Every structure is written in structure tokens, then in C-alpha cells.
Amino acid sequence: MATSVVTPFKHADHDHGHCVDDALAQAERQCRQRGVRLTPIRRRVLELIWNGHAPVKAYDLLDRLRAERRSAAPPTVYRALDFLLEEGLIHRIESLNAYIGCGSPAHPHVGQFLICEQCHAVAELDDNDVHRVLSAKAGELGFLVSSQTIEINGLCPLCRDPSPGTATGSASG
Amino acid sequence: MATSVVTPFKHADHDHGHCVDDALAQAERQCRQRGVRLTPIRRRVLELIWNGHAPVKAYDLLDRLRAERRSAAPPTVYRALDFLLEEGLIHRIESLNAYIGCGSPAHPHVGQFLICEQCHAVAELDDNDVHRVLSAKAGELGFLVSSQTIEINGLCPLCRDPSPGTATGSASG
DNA sequence: TTCCCTGTGCAACACTATAACATGCGAGTG
DNA sequence: CACTCGCATGTTATAGTGTTGCACAGGGAA
């Protein structure tokens, strides 16, 4: 089985501070290695995105940025997002016009996303079987694949079958 | 092989009038059967979308509608699009914010789209193997799939390997 | 007739993203 | 030190995408 889970669904009580710290540390390291600058704005936007495991919209980021930095404007956010996308630190969810942190920024890939319609949590896969099947089918029509947008909607394990005492309805932690 | 091609890539010299006529006739029939109304506006929007095998943007439709009907406004177009989407007569391409005619509206399905980055032609698949693989992978994480957005970018056969004398660079016919 | 339902007209607005040009600021160089 | 080059950010405006809310028109049913 070639299933590679980049970011699984998290339990409601997982230590989310850890997720954020890891993601930021990894980003710092990677940017240093590549000789690109993770400026305060870019770092803060990444941190805001990692506040939860749900996709975040650009103008929500802008609102939160503005609360801290009077000068924040749409370009402020979109430039930071462009940088983070470029460096593979976040992904864009096309069907939501929203952005989410990447759990495995070091190696370049396109994500395959499982999006919970109820709590909005997102898990990320990078699955070779999926790539293979799609490339094969495309190949049958003579089509040469260069990139893929794969976004699956449905119910995450917690919302599908909530255990007693388990919180649902939020992906904020 | 369970590959089902809903709409293949068309040769540049195919009889496109036929595509349009077929699509409209099928839409008329289907709407009559279901007891819903394919009004002149809705029919015209569908026809404009079927003008080519490339996705069309809402405001391009609006421009063309306005040339014929002074009163056309954004809601005019979006209401027609909502209706056509609802009836399965068109699909929305999330990664392009654009709409394309469905070649098989009779049976409900989500499409899998191959999008040519050069000529913008789009082919539509409805492939069970792809569904199966994705559902299986999702299932491994306890995720229950309800719908899928699958949009593959790359090069169509004609743009990938243009034969001498074969026109490329347009999906308008 | 009156009522109701659906479709359309119309104005305004909300949300998403980019363009264009100005300013700041730090690193490297002479 | 001054200089300048390149990148990041500030600022204003605008483009592109989609929705809300209410008014009106027409046809079928009571």
C-alpha cells in the first residue's frame, strides 16, 4: 500500500501547540537552508494558518493581521501567501478559496485533500496509487499530466461517528 | 479497465454544431422529463457554454448575454448557472472559476477533468477506478466520501504532439 | 377574482485577487 | 562613509467573482 498520509485527522485533544511549533521550526530551518527570508509578516501568516487544521481564507488572515499591524492590506496577505505557496509551506484549497499548512514542506508535492463538511478539518495525502491511476487514465487519452487538484469532501472520522465525550464541530485546535 | 470517458478531446475539425445541437436537445428532453423549465435565458447560457469545449467564465457569459439582453446582470447569469449545475447539465471547474458543459447529464456524477494548459480544452472522465482508489484511501483514515473535485492539468494530445497541418491553440470549436 | 409560485429585473454589496508605483531597509562594494 | 542594488513592504486603486434583498410579471390553482 503506497498510501502516504502527510497530515492525518487530529483528535480533538491533541497537543496543537506542538503542531504549530513544529511547523514554524521546520519552516525556519527550510528557509534558512534555501537562502530565502521568512520575514515577520510571512512567519506570522504561517502561524495564523497553523492556528487550526482547517483551511483559512485570505481575508480572515487580513482581519487578524490588521489587528496587530495597521498597515496590513490585501497585498500584504497575498504576498505572504504567494511566498508560502512557492516554498511549499502551505497549500491552496481551490474549492474553498482557502489555505492550509503543509505537513511535509520539505519535499515538493501536490496534496490530495480530505475535507470534512461538518467540522472543516482537512487531512492531506500524497498517495502514489492515486497519482498512478490518474496518470494512467489520462495517458489512455494521450494526455500528459503536469499537476493535479484533488479535493475530496465528506465526513471525517470524528464527525462520522462521534464517540461519547469527544468534542466535534471544530477543527480549531 | 473501468475508464469511462464522458467527453473526449475533440479534433480541431470535428463537427461542433453537432455537439451543441445534441447537448441542447438532450437538455430539453431531460428538463421536460423532470418537469423543470429550460427557460430562454437558461437555454441560451447553456448554448453559450457549449460554444466550445473549453471552460467559460461567468462574466464572459454575462458580457455575451448583455449584448443580446440589456437587462442581463450578474444574478441573471448565476441563477442560470445554478440551475444548470443543479440539473447536472454543466460542471464547475474549481481551479479556474469556470463552467463547462456536461456530456452525460442524464446520470448524476462528479466529473474528473483533464485540462489542457495550452489550448484550454477539457476532457471529462467518470472513472470508477479513480473513485475506488480515492474512496479506499480515504476509508483507511476513516473518512466517508461524499463528493470529489478532481482537476488534472497538463497537455492534451494535440498540443503535446501536434501533427503537421493540424490546428492547435484553440478549443473554440 | 385572488392567491401563490417561479422566474426575472434591478441596485447594492460582499468577497477574492491583482496592478502600479512609492518607500524602506539591509547587504555588499568602492 | 556614501552608493546602489535588490528585495520586502506600504499605499491606493481597481479587476474579477459571487450574493443579498426586494420588486415585479406571468401563469396556474382555488
Side-chain angles (χ1 to χ4, degrees):
Chain A
M1 198 62 66
T3 299
S4 164
V5 180
V6 175
T7 307
F9 288 109
K10 306 286 188 174
H11 287 94
D13 58 355
H14 79 285
D15 178 1
H16 186 66
H18 210 74
C19 296
V20 180
D21 293 347
D22 277 1
L24 290 177
Q26 162 84 4
E28 302 266 20
R29 204 177 318 128
Q30 183 171 309
C31 288
R32 204 174 317 115
Q33 274 175 11
R34 295 186 185 173
V36 297
R37 294 166 56 193
L38 188 65
T39 62
I41 290 180
R42 291 166 177 176
R43 190 181 194 286
R44 183 61 179 137
V45 168
L46 182 59
E47 188 177 7
L48 288 169
I49 289 173
W50 270 102
N51 261 357
H53 291 283
V56 184
K57 316 213 100 194
Y59 274 68
D60 289 346
L61 290 170
L62 177 54
D63 288 344
R64 296 188 228 170
L65 261 195
R66 254 205 266 256
E68 310 167 353
R69 179 183 284 262
R70 222 172 34 78
S71 67
T76 314
V77 170
Y78 282 103
R79 284 166 183 158
L81 291 172
D82 285 346
F83 172 86
L84 297 170
L85 287 167
E86 188 79 18
E87 296 301 320
L89 296 166
I90 62 173
H91 293 287
R92 179 180 157 82
I93 308 290
E94 298 291 346
S95 59
L96 297 174
N97 295 336
Y99 305 83
I100 191 160
C102 176
S104 177
H107 82 104
H109 64 281
V110 298
Q112 299 148 358
F113 300 96
L114 307 180
I115 306 167
C116 180
E117 292 166 338
Q118 188 163 318
C119 72
H120 305 116
V122 169
E124 180 184 354
L125 307 181
D126 181 23
D127 190 287
N128 274 323
D129 291 345
V130 173
H131 281 278
R132 257 198 299 277
V133 170
L134 280 170
S135 296
K137 300 297 180 180
E140 289 175 27
L141 274 71
F143 188 87
L144 181 64
V145 173
S146 71
S147 73
Q148 309 182 346
T149 298
I150 299 176
E151 297 168 10
I152 313 297
N153 293 288
L155 288 179
C156 76
L158 289 176
C159 292
R160 178 187 189 177
D161 178 25
S163 309
T166 303
T168 64
S170 163
S172 61
Chain B
M1 199 62 66
T3 299
S4 165
V5 179
V6 175
T7 307
F9 288 109
K10 305 286 187 174
H11 287 93
D13 57 356
H14 78 285
D15 178 2
H16 187 65
H18 209 74
C19 297
V20 180
D21 292 347
D22 276 2
L24 291 176
Q26 163 84 3
E28 301 267 20
R29 204 177 318 128
Q30 183 172 311
C31 287
R32 204 173 317 116
Q33 274 175 10
R34 294 185 185 173
V36 296
R37 295 167 55 193
L38 188 64
T39 63
I41 291 180
R42 292 167 177 175
R43 189 181 194 285
R44 182 63 180 136
V45 168
L46 182 59
E47 189 177 7
L48 288 171
I49 290 174
W50 271 102
N51 262 356
H53 291 282
V56 185
K57 316 212 101 193
Y59 275 67
D60 289 346
L61 290 170
L62 177 54
D63 287 344
R64 296 188 227 170
L65 260 195
R66 255 205 266 255
E68 310 166 354
R69 178 183 285 262
R70 222 171 35 79
S71 68
T76 314
V77 169
Y78 282 104
R79 284 166 183 157
L81 291 172
D82 286 346
F83 172 86
L84 297 170
L85 286 166
E86 188 80 19
E87 296 301 321
L89 295 167
I90 61 173
H91 293 288
R92 178 179 158 83
I93 308 290
E94 298 290 348
S95 58
L96 298 174
N97 295 335
Y99 305 83
I100 192 161
C102 176
S104 178
H107 81 105
H109 64 282
V110 297
Q112 299 148 357
F113 300 97
L114 306 181
I115 306 168
C116 180
E117 292 166 337
Q118 188 163 317
C119 74
H120 305 116
V122 168
E124 180 184 354
L125 307 181
D126 181 24
D127 189 286
N128 275 322
D129 290 345
V130 173
H131 282 277
R132 257 198 299 277
V133 170
L134 279 169
S135 295
K137 300 297 179 180
E140 288 176 27
L141 273 71
F143 187 88
L144 181 65
V145 173
S146 70
S147 72
Q148 309 182 347
T149 297
I150 299 177
E151 297 168 10
I152 313 296
N153 294 288
L155 288 179
C156 76
L158 289 176
C159 292
R160 179 187 188 177
D161 178 24
S163 308
T166 302
T168 63
S170 163
S172 61

